[in-house]
């Protein structure tokens, strides 16, 4: 579920995490800053171009969407079920 993300400008690179099987990826804002597209490389080596859907510079997060289905999404936990220290 971890992917490489490169801005459309080709300058710099970062990582991201696929968070849904239909292609939503969380990455850092500084990775895709100023662009509306990003090149995403999956663990299999396949490269796809994704659309930058939104960014928040204040918390340095961005959402990128790639086409696909049944992608290897990370399983996120339920923060309401955590105990102190976990």
């Amino acid at each position: 579920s971890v992917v490489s993300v490169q801005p459309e400008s080709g300058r710099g690179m970062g990582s991201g995490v696929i968070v849904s099987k239909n292609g939503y990826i969380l990455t850092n804002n500084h990775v895709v800053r100023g662009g509306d597209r990003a090149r995403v490389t999956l663990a299999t080596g396949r490269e796809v171009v994704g659309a930058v859907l939104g960014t928040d510079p204040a918390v340095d997060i961005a959402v990128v969407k790639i086409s696909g289905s049944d992608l290897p999404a990370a399983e996120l936990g339920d923060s309401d079920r955590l105990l102190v220290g976990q």
Side-chain angles (χ1 to χ4, degrees), residues 9-82:
S9 67
R11 296 187 317 199
M13 183 177 269
S15 61
V17 177
I18 301 172
V19 294
S20 70
K21 290 181 181 265
N22 60 344
Y24 287 92
I25 298 168
L26 291 180
T27 188
N28 294 103
N29 174 66
H30 71 266
V31 172
V32 297
R33 180 179 330 173
D36 59 355
R37 296 210 167 293
R39 184 177 309 122
V40 177
T41 305
L42 304 174
T44 62
R46 185 176 78 150
E47 286 189 5
V48 294
V49 175
V52 177
L53 298 184
T55 63
D56 187 338
V59 293
D60 193 29
I61 197 160
V63 177
V64 174
K65 173 72 169 81
I66 61 172
S67 294
S69 61
D70 202 30
L71 294 165
E75 187 176 325
L76 302 179
D78 181 352
S79 61
D80 290 336
R81 299 183 62 187
L82 291 176

